[in-house]
Amino acid sequence: MGRLHGSLSETLTPFSLLFFFFFFSWFAGFTFAAFNLTTLSFDEGYSPLFGDGNLVRSPDGHSVRLLLDVYTGSGFISSSMYQHGFFSAKIKLPSDYTAGIVVAFYTSNGDVFEKNHDELDFEFLGNIEGKPWRFQTNLYGNGSTNRGREERYSLWFDPSKEFHRYSILWTAKNIIFYIDEVPIREVVRNDKMGGDYPSKPMSLYATIWDASSWATSGGKYKVNYKYAPFTSEFKELVLEGCPTDPIQEFPSASACSDRDAWLESRDYAVITPEQRAAMRRFRQRYMYYSYCYDALRYPVTPPECVIDPAEKERFQDSGRLKFGGSHRKQARITRARRKRRSRVASISNDQTDM
């Protein structure tokens, strides 16, 4: 070990040491202590939704695989509805060619309130081979599907290579979407939202399905079933909140008051200053669309949007990133502009010296 350490230190240049320092500093910015969670077996909290044999439970009952093949997708649902809660799972997505596929992890009451449902969702959008998964978050309240509040992002890791925890916190005060322990989006309830803020009991759903008509490049790339079956895996399932009787539909305020207070006291209910800084970094680097900056769709900014001038500067009136590409492309353009300015300044100085 001593010889290896010595040879390694001899080969590390000041530049490489600086690279490693910035790399690990950047990675550490998205790493926090794990939440204190109690996980459930599948039978303790969930039931099959559709797909029959395409829903495969592990022998110990603590994880489940959802498959999509040429015949059907699959999904599961929580056995209870919840009036507020923390909904979470570690998920691994299908690999290789996944165009046209959507894996969704979301809460909804659409089966009970067909015309005025509420919803909070993660939707993972597949891609052609060699291109990364993307995902979006969204929320609806009281059937406000014509006022979608979606944001779209890329990821800082390959979600098909390893499990990561995806979580939704829903309280009477706010909604937080998490990846691992990093908050990526917070919606604080605003009275001006009215019924657009989800308020009715919801179930937790997880599904995989064929969305060839829109999921990848607006439907340009379809699901290719020669790569089937496509498998998404779920484990370390968490349901924390106030379960309600689906027949009752609306629990009394007092029925959930104690549970709501407990929920709001949990470690995931408070965004620390360090987590808020990580959320800001995530949104700067990986968000490529936000409805809050979509002035063409919403000439009047939705009331819950908190406009960050520096963040807004990077987006067009369509809510998409400027320059029509990713943050990486934007960064390359910025660096190129700086180099051009530097060359112009250098030429100007040379001419002055002459």
Side-chain angles (χ1 to χ4, degrees), residues 260-280:
D260 280 355
W262 176 85
L263 189 70
E264 292 172 14
S265 71
R266 303 286 284 156
D267 50 1
Y268 47 67
V270 178
I271 299 178
T272 66
E274 294 78 14
Q275 286 175 310
R276 197 164 292 281
M279 178 167 67
R280 185 164 53 250

Side-chain angles (χ1 to χ4, degrees), residues 1 7 63 66 146 150 159 161 168 201 227 229 254 275 299 308 310 320 332:
M1 290 293 291
S7 61
S63 63
L66 297 182
N146 63 330
E150 67 267 29
K161 298 298 184 185
I168 301 170
Y227 297 100
S254 60
Q275 286 175 310
D308 180 335
R320 296 180 178 275
R332 288 197 299 270

Side-chain angles (χ1 to χ4, degrees), residues 149-220:
R149 290 170 160 85
E150 67 267 29
E151 291 186 343
R152 302 187 190 115
Y153 328 81
S154 53
L155 287 160
W156 67 95
F157 55 83
D158 184 343
S160 69
K161 298 298 184 185
E162 56 189 11
F163 284 91
H164 285 268
R165 181 168 292 284
Y166 303 89
S167 309
I168 301 170
L169 172 68
W170 169 45
T171 76
K173 300 176 181 178
N174 67 338
I175 296 159
I176 304 174
F177 293 87
Y178 282 99
I179 297 179
D180 295 323
E181 287 71 40
V182 179
I184 63 163
R185 179 181 183 182
E186 180 184 28
V187 178
V188 178
R189 185 171 192 168
N190 185 310
D191 289 341
K192 293 181 180 179
M193 291 181 71
D196 284 4
Y197 190 89
S199 60
K200 300 184 292 296
M202 292 190 279
S203 300
L204 182 281
Y205 294 78
T207 59
I208 183 171
W209 52 289
D210 184 330
S212 291
S213 62
W214 65 271
T216 307
S217 299
K220 179 179 179 180

Side-chain angles (χ1 to χ4, degrees), residues 111-123:
D111 291 339
V112 178
F113 305 98
E114 294 182 5
K115 295 183 179 180
N116 61 335
H117 84 286
D118 304 299
E119 184 174 322
L120 300 167
D121 59 49
F122 277 103
E123 285 187 321

Side-chain angles (χ1 to χ4, degrees), residues 240-298:
E240 295 187 347
C242 183
T244 65
D245 184 346
I247 299 176
Q248 184 183 354
E249 294 184 2
F250 291 99
S252 65
S254 60
C256 283
S257 58
D258 290 345
R259 196 64 177 172
D260 280 355
W262 176 85
L263 189 70
E264 292 172 14
S265 71
R266 303 286 284 156
D267 50 1
Y268 47 67
V270 178
I271 299 178
T272 66
E274 294 78 14
Q275 286 175 310
R276 197 164 292 281
M279 178 167 67
R280 185 164 53 250
R281 288 194 297 272
F282 170 84
R283 295 173 68 81
Q284 288 173 348
R285 296 171 182 173
Y286 299 105
M287 183 172 72
Y288 64 88
Y289 171 83
S290 174
Y291 75 103
C292 286
Y293 302 122
D294 193 340
L296 302 181
R297 185 179 181 185
Y298 298 112

